[in-house]
Amino acid sequence: MKTIFEKSVQGKYQDIIPKCTLPEVTFPQELTRSAALELLEISETEMSRHYNQLAQRAYGVSDGMYPLGSCTMKYNPAVNEEVAALKGLTDIHPQQPASTVQGWLRILKIGEDYLKEVTGMDAVTFQPAAGAHGEYAGIRLIREYHMKNGDDKRTKVIVPDSAHGTNPATAAMCGYEVVSVPSDSEGGVDVEELSKVLGNDVAALMLTNPNTLGISDKNILEITEMVHEAGGLCYYDGANLNAILGIARPGDMGFDVMHMNLHKTFSTPHGGGGPGSGAVACKNILKGFLPGIKIEEDEEGMTMGLYEETMGPIGLYYGNVAVAARAIAYMLTLGKEGMVAVAKNAVLNANYMKTLLEKDYHIPYNEGCMHEFVISAEDLKKETGITAMDIAKSMIDNGVHPPTVYFPLIVHEALMFEPTETETKESLDRVSQILLDIRKEAYTDPQKLHEAPRKGQIRRPDEVGAARNPILVFEDGKDL
Ligand SMILES: *Cc1c(COP(=O)(O)O)cnc(C)c1O
């Protein structure tokens, strides 16, 4: 497919801007362009077709199930888009005085109060723009806490091997040494191994829960107590909060700080790279260090300021407020019962699909799962040569988005499915049947699976090469 720049033809330029009737002003030369601005010259019809074709090449939840584990690619109610696009919410400037943005401040305060209730925490900031960004803010808060207590010998952050990959990356970004703890046979943190690494050099433990195996840790209370006893603090990675929404609260489990991915659980379409929101919630002991804007209410109305000992801004102003607006609209429309239903259906759907598949596919940690589960294709690979990648690519030929593959690392030939709460039983049945058929084909026609995808937009790109040496600038004449 040609880029829109290649489709541009000189002379087609449409003069849609009316001729200027105001007196012309000449700017100083250093402020003007030295060469003419190269604008596209393309008809409106062609432009509309171009973007339509591009949209048809993409796959989204509007096309079908998108079971990408740990990403919560679910249907996001369109009404939340309308709320976020309300003119009163979009046509303002972040530097307007508080008296002129009373509505926004009240909305954000409601959002904070709801999320405090959902998480069992004491304060919330919307400033972080993504999950990983929220983790960064959270671990920095923990650092501020230890430093304030003169406890500067704590140089380590414990991260179980079933954590999301951003957890160790965050700890390292914040200057900590990452200490890995293995999982036990049930997929939870190996508590005995944990006790061996705990000590007065540990700043924090970061727990992804449910972990990347889709399992909620059974020993969670014991774990947070052990960490606290050693003087460390506990971080909860709540990116996939739909597994426990309205049912269990990290604040009650002994965690001191956490983030939520509003763009996952709370209804912002994502996958194209943003904008997102990794709202951070924390207990009172960390509240004073929070980044972002402190919103309060007095007799005059809503006010804004900074937290007393703030670690400084880590993003802009209030964060990505449109994402927060969607999240708040989502929570208000769901209400308490609706939020509980989200969690129950997310867990039910994953367990239903797992049950359909477990007769034919090996599921290593199969004790019941939360919102997602992980299949291993190791046995299939040994018997037929068909890998997790072959299965994933064959799903594309069947019109379904593949799951997350080769993650978590502790499962070989891993395929991580997160069906989400917004899929119907029929769609779970259909996709499971596709997977069962692929398994049969591995024995009868493995070559077909090795060659997949035949129907995708591209075949099998060099993914490592694309990540390591990305070509980010369009070169004229090069076919994309
Ligand atoms: C998605 C995810 C993250 C990272 O969130 P981003 O918004 O992509 O930075 C962190 N932890 C878990 C468990 C996740 O699923």
Side-chain angles (χ1 to χ4, degrees):
M1 185 174 165
K2 281 186 173 172
T3 65
I4 194 151
F5 300 100
E6 290 168 298
K7 288 179 184 169
S8 169
V9 174
Q10 243 188 356
K12 266 197 193 168
Y13 179 67
Q14 297 183 338
D15 213 351
I16 53 169
I17 302 172
K19 284 267 170 292
C20 180
T21 52
L22 298 170
E24 262 187 41
V25 183
T26 23
F27 289 105
Q29 208 176 348
E30 67 267 25
L31 294 180
T32 60
R33 288 183 182 281
S34 50
L37 180 62
E38 274 188 56
L39 288 173
L40 289 173
E41 301 193 38
I42 189 164
S43 74
E44 193 173 328
T45 329
E46 285 170 305
M47 184 150 74
S48 142
R49 284 182 189 154
H50 176 79
Y51 287 110
N52 226 9
Q53 279 167 17
L54 267 185
Q56 282 167 7
R57 290 185 137 218
Y59 183 96
V61 274
S62 311
D63 299 292
M65 188 166 161
Y66 200 140
L68 200 64
S70 208
C71 293
T72 316
M73 306 304 281
K74 67 180 184 184
Y75 172 73
N76 301 296
V79 64
N80 301 329
E81 295 302 312
E82 280 179 37
V83 170
L86 287 174
K87 263 196 119 20
L89 297 186
T90 55
D91 289 1
I92 57 162
H93 192 277
Q95 284 182 329
Q96 279 181 224
S99 62
T100 67
V101 285
Q102 287 289 299
W104 247 128
L105 293 175
R106 186 167 294 284
I107 289 171
L108 291 170
K109 187 85 179 77
I110 291 172
E112 286 182 11
D113 288 345
Y114 267 62
L115 290 179
K116 281 194 298 194
E117 182 62 30
V118 160
T119 57
M121 296 285 181
D122 301 317
V124 170
T125 176
F126 288 113
Q127 201 174 59
H133 200 193
E135 289 174 38
Y136 177 76
I139 295 299
R140 285 279 314 277
L141 287 177
I142 290 176
R143 192 187 186 91
E144 296 287 328
Y145 170 86
H146 289 311
M147 289 301 175
K148 191 186 168 194
N149 293 339
D151 205 354
D152 58 4
K153 299 281 183 300
R154 296 187 181 268
T155 54
K156 295 177 180 166
V157 168
I158 300 174
V159 183
D161 64 3
S162 61
H164 192 269
T166 46
N167 295 181
T170 295
M173 276 280 284
C174 293
Y176 285 108
E177 186 189 325
V178 179
V179 182
S180 180
V181 217
S183 305
D184 61 19
S185 57
E186 289 180 24
V189 175
D190 189 323
V191 175
E192 214 163 286
E193 293 296 324
L194 174 64
S195 68
K196 287 183 200 158
V197 295
L198 280 172
N200 57 10
D201 55 352
V202 168
L205 164 103
M206 294 182 85
L207 196 77
T208 301
N209 195 66
N211 64 24
T212 54
L213 296 166
I215 292 170
S216 182
D217 206 300
K218 283 182 186 161
N219 301 316
I220 214 153
L221 293 175
E222 189 184 346
I223 291 168
T224 55
E225 204 176 302
M226 285 166 70
V227 175
H228 284 151
E229 243 159 54
L233 295 187
C234 298
Y235 186 93
Y236 187 96
D237 181 337
N240 312 119
L241 208 67
N242 43 334
I244 62 163
L245 193 62
I247 296 198
R249 310 192 308 168
D252 301 334
M253 304 174 198
F255 288 89
D256 304 289
V257 51
M258 66 179 290
H259 80 274
M260 291 149 272
N261 279 21
L262 300 188
H263 49 286
K264 288 182 183 168
T265 307
F266 295 94
S267 159
T268 283
H270 61 285
S277 174
V280 165
C282 69
K283 291 272 175 71
N284 276 330
I285 51 162
L286 298 174
K287 183 177 173 178
F289 307 119
L290 276 174
I293 287 160
K294 181 182 181 183
I295 302 170
E296 286 175 310
E297 188 168 12
D298 62 19
E299 314 80 58
E300 312 257 293
M302 310 303 293
T303 64
M304 56 182 174
L306 296 175
Y307 289 91
E308 307 78 58
E309 299 168 274
T310 180
M311 59 186 237
I314 63 148
L316 292 175
Y317 305 101
Y318 317 86
N320 287 328
V321 281
V323 182
R326 290 187 190 96
I328 295 158
Y330 184 66
M331 290 191 281
L332 288 169
T333 47
L334 284 174
K336 205 170 175 176
E337 287 81 37
M339 284 198 240
V340 172
V342 162
K344 285 188 174 171
N345 287 321
V347 174
L348 177 65
N349 279 0
N351 277 281
Y352 177 71
M353 195 170 165
K354 180 169 81 65
T355 308
L356 292 181
L357 297 177
E358 69 190 359
K359 285 174 256 101
D360 289 31
Y361 281 100
H362 177 50
I363 298 172
Y365 298 91
N366 195 6
E367 286 281 307
C369 65
M370 298 295 282
H371 64 301
E372 63 192 4
F373 61 94
V374 181
I375 281 177
S376 167
E378 202 177 12
D379 60 334
L380 193 66
K381 187 180 171 187
K382 278 200 193 108
E383 287 171 26
T384 66
I386 292 301
T387 62
M389 187 62 86
D390 294 329
I391 297 172
K393 298 294 183 191
S394 303
M395 288 180 74
I396 298 175
D397 279 344
N398 286 284
V400 185
H401 197 284
T404 300
V405 286
Y406 297 102
F407 192 80
L409 301 175
I410 48 179
V411 173
H412 296 140
E413 296 297 321
L415 291 139
M416 184 197 215
F417 289 90
E418 184 188 4
T420 82
E421 68 275 13
T422 58
E423 290 305 317
T424 60
K425 178 176 175 294
E426 291 73 22
S427 105
L428 299 171
D429 286 338
R430 195 178 74 82
V431 173
S432 301
Q433 193 53 52
I434 288 171
L435 282 158
L436 295 174
D437 291 345
I438 289 174
R439 170 120 195 158
K440 281 203 197 93
E441 261 175 352
Y443 293 91
T444 56
D445 192 1
Q447 196 51 32
K448 183 179 163 198
L449 304 188
H450 286 312
E451 281 171 15
R454 299 178 202 213
K455 296 185 195 156
Q457 298 295 339
I458 49 172
R459 297 298 294 267
R460 294 200 190 195
D462 172 4
E463 286 160 0
V464 175
R468 298 276 151 79
N469 305 302
I471 302 168
L472 303 173
V473 179
F474 167 67
E475 277 179 54
D476 220 346
K478 266 207 177 161
D479 195 17
L480 289 185

